[in-house]
Amino acid sequence: MTLTVQSTQPSALRFVIADQRGDGRPDFAYKARVLYADSVTPANVPATGGNVVIHGMGFRNGDIVTVNNVQAVVSSSDASSIAVTIPSSHDLGFTSAATASIAVTDPATGGSTVMTGALNYAAPQPSLNLISSPSGTVFAGDTAPTAFAVRVLAIDGTTPMANQTVTFTADQAVKFSACGLVSCTVRTDTSGVASTFVVAVNAGTVQLSATSQYGTVNATFSALERIRTITAVVPMLYVAAGAHVTWMPQIMLSDNSASVASIPIVWQPNAGAITFAPPQSQTDAQGAAQAQASIGPLASGAQSSASACAWNSICTTFTTIGVGPDNWHLEIVSGAGQSVSYDDSLLPIVLRVVDNADHPLAGAAVEIHQTIDAWQMPCPERGRCPIPPNNGPHITSAISDVDGSVTVIPEQLPGAAEITNIVAATGSQGFVSLSLLKRP
C-alpha cells in the first residue's frame, strides 16, 4: 500500500493507522518505508545547471531524479542523500530566471516525492562550450591530432555568436597553431567557433584553457618525451695496415613514438680513408640498416671515421684503426685435433687474426703451408723401416674477413690414411701449426 502526503509547512508529520470504522489499531505491528525529499543544496544554480545534492530519507539505488520532468544524472546515492547533475535551464525551456521542482521516484514501488519550486535557476547567459580538445598522450614536438575548439552560443543555447574574443592559454610551454605563440587570441567565426591546434614543447601534463567573457573551459593532455636512438652494431673496426677492406657497417634504430621501418639513413665519411656506395639506405621492418664501406689503405695507428644519421640530426659514429704487421697474431677457432677414419673427410679449419689486444683484424694476409704424410707403416723385424711418402708442400694465401676469420680447407687424399700438416703465418708475429689425422 502507498500513502501520499502533501505538505507546504516545514513541520513534523504524524501518521495514524485506523480500521474501517475509523478506530485506531494499536494492536498490530506495522512496517513502512518513508520516501521523502527534504531539501537540495545548493538551491540557487546557474543557467547551465550543475551538481547538487538532494537530502531526505528512504532513498535507494536505482531511484530516478527529474527536474521539471527532465531526467537528471545520478552519480551516487545512499539512504539519506542523492548526488545528481541537473540539466541546464535551456534543457528545461527557460529563457529567463525561473524556479523548478525536483522529483525522486522509486521505480520498484512507484513511490515518489516532490519538492515544488526547490531550485532557483539564474537567467540564461551566452555560453562558452567545448567542442573538442587534445586528450590522452602526445609526444613533445608533435601537433596534437585533435584541435582545441570551443563555440559561443547565445542565451537560447543554440544560436552561434560570431566575432567573440576567445583567449587560448596553457600552464606550460606550448605553441598554438592559430598564432604560433604560447598564448593566442582568436575570434569566433560565423558558426561561433574558435579553434587552434596545439604543439607541446616539453614533456609533462598540459592544462589548456579557453576563456571568453562568457566563461572558461579547460582540457588536459599528457606530453611524453620522444626518445630516438641510433646504435652502431660494431662501432670499431681494426684493419691491417696497408690493406683495402670492404665492410658492411650496420645500425639499429629505436623510437618510442613511431615505427622504425623505412627510415632513411645517411652514411657520410668524417675523416680518413673511408667511402660509402651508395651513401644512403633505409631501415628494414626491425629498424636495421647497413651500407657498403670501402676502407683503406691505413697506416699503422691511423684512423678513419664515418657517421650514420637518421631523422636528420641523430647520428652514430664508426671508427677504423690501422694495425701494423708486428701486432698481428693467429688463433685457432675450430677444427684442430681432428682424427677421423681414412674413408671420412677432414673438416675445414677456422683461424682468426687478432691484434695485441685480441681485437679481430680485417684485411690481414695469411700464408698457409700444407703437407700430407702417408700413414707410417709398422717396421719389419729385419731391415729398414719403410719411409712414408710425402705430398707437398702446398702453399696458399687468404685475407682475413671483417671478423678476422680465415677458413682453411685441409689438403687430403680420398680413401687414404694420412697426416695433414698445416702451418699458417701472418705479419711478423702470427704463427700456428696443427696436424690432422686420417686413421687406417
Side-chain angles (χ1 to χ4, degrees):
M1 181 180 71
T2 301
L3 176 64
T4 302
V5 178
Q6 294 182 350
S7 174
T8 59
Q9 302 297 322
S11 58
L13 295 177
R14 188 173 183 181
F15 300 93
V16 177
I17 305 300
D19 61 16
Q20 290 180 339
R21 298 189 300 273
D23 296 331
R25 298 303 303 267
D27 52 338
F28 287 93
Y30 298 94
K31 184 177 181 180
R33 180 173 70 92
V34 178
L35 177 60
Y36 172 61
D38 175 72
S39 61
V40 58
T41 54
N44 298 308
V45 295
T48 54
N51 299 317
V52 300
V53 178
I54 300 168
H55 305 280
M57 64 178 66
F59 301 143
R60 295 196 296 194
N61 288 335
D63 286 351
I64 297 172
V65 177
T66 56
V67 179
N68 276 20
N69 297 319
V70 176
Q71 188 166 334
V73 177
V74 175
S75 56
S76 65
S77 66
D78 56 32
S80 60
S81 65
I82 304 176
V84 296
T85 301
I86 60 172
S88 67
S89 62
H90 170 72
D91 294 331
L92 302 180
F94 298 152
T95 58
S96 61
T99 60
S101 300
I102 298 178
V104 179
T105 303
D106 183 350
T109 63
S112 64
T113 177
V114 179
M115 293 185 291
T116 304
L119 271 179
N120 300 308
Y121 277 92
Q125 299 291 327
S127 59
L128 183 69
N129 304 275
L130 180 66
I131 299 175
S132 65
S133 65
S135 61
T137 299
V138 176
F139 285 94
D142 282 356
T143 300
T146 303
F148 189 21
V150 295
R151 175 179 281 118
V152 180
L153 298 176
I155 61 173
D156 60 5
T158 58
T159 303
M161 297 178 65
N163 204 34
Q164 301 297 307
T165 299
V166 177
T167 300
F168 294 99
T169 57
D171 66 343
Q172 64 168 288
V174 301
K175 286 185 179 180
F176 292 106
S177 63
C179 62
L181 302 174
V182 297
S183 178
C184 224
T185 298
V186 180
R187 289 190 175 273
T188 58
D189 59 19
T190 55
S191 62
V193 174
S195 67
T196 179
F197 283 94
V198 183
V199 178
V201 176
N202 301 317
T205 300
V206 181
Q207 178 76 41
L208 301 174
S209 296
T211 303
S212 77
Q213 61 177 317
Y214 305 116
T216 298
V217 295
N218 298 309
T220 301
F221 70 95
S222 295
L224 291 183
E225 180 182 358
R226 174 180 280 107
I227 301 175
R228 287 173 166 173
T229 63
I230 178 169
T231 304
V233 176
V234 180
M236 187 82 71
L237 183 69
Y238 295 85
V239 179
H244 287 87
V245 174
T246 298
W247 183 29
M248 300 293 289
Q250 295 179 312
I251 56 93
M252 292 292 298
L253 299 188
S254 67
D255 185 349
N256 68 338
S257 64
S259 169
V260 290
S262 301
I263 303 296
I265 306 297
V266 176
W267 306 83
Q268 53 193 18
N270 294 335
I274 182 170
T275 59
F276 293 93
Q280 185 167 323
S281 63
Q282 68 178 23
T283 56
D284 61 17
Q286 287 71 46
Q290 64 181 17
Q292 180 172 299
S294 297
I295 302 165
L298 293 174
S300 178
Q303 295 187 13
S304 65
S305 65
S307 296
C309 299
W311 303 293
N312 297 322
S313 60
I314 301 176
C315 301
T316 189
T317 301
F318 298 89
T319 302
T320 60
I321 300 176
V323 179
D326 54 337
N327 290 322
W328 302 359
H329 302 276
L330 271 174
E331 60 184 24
I332 301 173
V333 177
S334 64
Q338 295 184 59
S339 178
V340 301
S341 175
Y342 72 95
D343 53 358
D344 286 337
S345 297
L346 294 171
L347 299 176
I349 309 299
V350 178
L351 309 176
R352 178 177 290 122
V353 184
V354 297
D355 65 8
N356 285 340
D358 209 32
H359 298 124
L361 189 62
V366 179
E367 189 172 278
I368 303 158
H369 294 247
Q370 297 193 59
T371 61
I372 300 176
D373 294 334
W375 189 266
Q376 176 71 54
M377 302 302 293
C379 293
E381 293 183 1
R382 296 180 181 178
R384 294 183 177 182
C385 292
I387 299 174
N390 179 277
N391 186 1
H394 298 278
I395 302 174
T396 57
S397 63
I399 302 297
S400 60
D401 212 339
V402 290
D403 62 353
S405 64
V406 171
T407 300
V408 179
I409 305 300
E411 295 283 346
Q412 52 192 310
L413 300 175
E418 61 191 29
I419 302 173
T420 299
N421 302 298
I422 300 175
V423 173
T426 187
S428 59
Q429 304 289 330
F431 177 87
V432 292
S433 64
L434 63 160
S435 294
L436 311 177
L437 306 181
K438 294 180 68 174
R439 305 181 306 274

